[in-house]
Amino acid sequence: NGMTLAVGGTLFTRMPVRLFAAVCDRGPRDLHYASWGGGLPLELLLEAGAVTKATLCFSSLDIFGQAPRFQAAIQDGTIELIEWNAHAFAQALSAGKRRLPSEPFTWPAGSDLADLPAFPASVADPVRGTPVGAAPALRPDVLLLHAPAADEDGNVVLVGARAMELVLVPASRQVLVTVDAVITRDELRRIPGGVVISRHFVSAIAVAS
């Protein structure tokens, strides 16, 4: 209850469905959903009444259109929305990863986003004097992640689209991972195009059968 929750995957790619379904089953309350996109995870968490605040860049069901529960929650005021652009979100995670209070990002001049009350503040660039965004550090309490495999040492491999996971992992306080299988370390290294997440960043692993 009350934690900041992030979810890995991209739209419908490598979504940790078993993990966030298990979270919904536990009936948490007052969660702060903080991820690049909302989509299916946020829809299920809203249906479960678990989320009261969301920091994100967008929420949709991709080819299936609008995210109806998200839209309804915004319209009836049951969720507090903090809407950032992708660069601000990435830099906020980068600040969290580096344990810095903030990191700069390109100011979205001319965008209505910059007028939103919760949008990060701007500061004057010390070289040119032009506005630069200052994204406050974002450190999710828990990141839910799914991956094809882990090895017996607890290292995890990601394959394919990674969205912001490579900065989400070190920025998060706990990383909970489901995998399709546990394999040997040699097999893990040989997976084509795989990016290995060190076991030092992983809090727990479960095989999702």
Side-chain angles (χ1 to χ4, degrees), residues 3-24 28 31-46 50-51 53-60 89 93 138-147 158 161-178 197:
M3 285 188 168
T4 298
L5 177 69
V7 178
T10 306
L11 298 173
F12 293 107
T13 301
R14 205 170 15 79
M15 280 274 112
V17 177
R18 294 289 297 275
L19 266 176
F20 56 73
V23 169
C24 291
L31 294 182
H32 174 196
Y33 180 93
S35 280
W36 173 58
L40 181 61
L42 183 55
E43 289 292 284
L44 293 180
L45 290 165
L46 286 170
V51 176
K53 180 179 178 181
T55 299
L56 42 73
C57 304
F58 72 98
S59 187
S60 77
F89 195 90
L93 290 173
L138 180 58
R139 292 205 66 202
D141 294 303
V142 180
L143 169 62
L144 307 181
L145 186 65
H146 183 74
L158 297 179
R162 293 184 294 275
M164 295 189 182
E165 288 165 325
L166 296 186
V167 67
L168 261 172
V169 167
S172 300
R173 292 181 169 88
Q174 295 184 71
V175 180
L176 308 181
V177 186
T178 53
I197 296 174

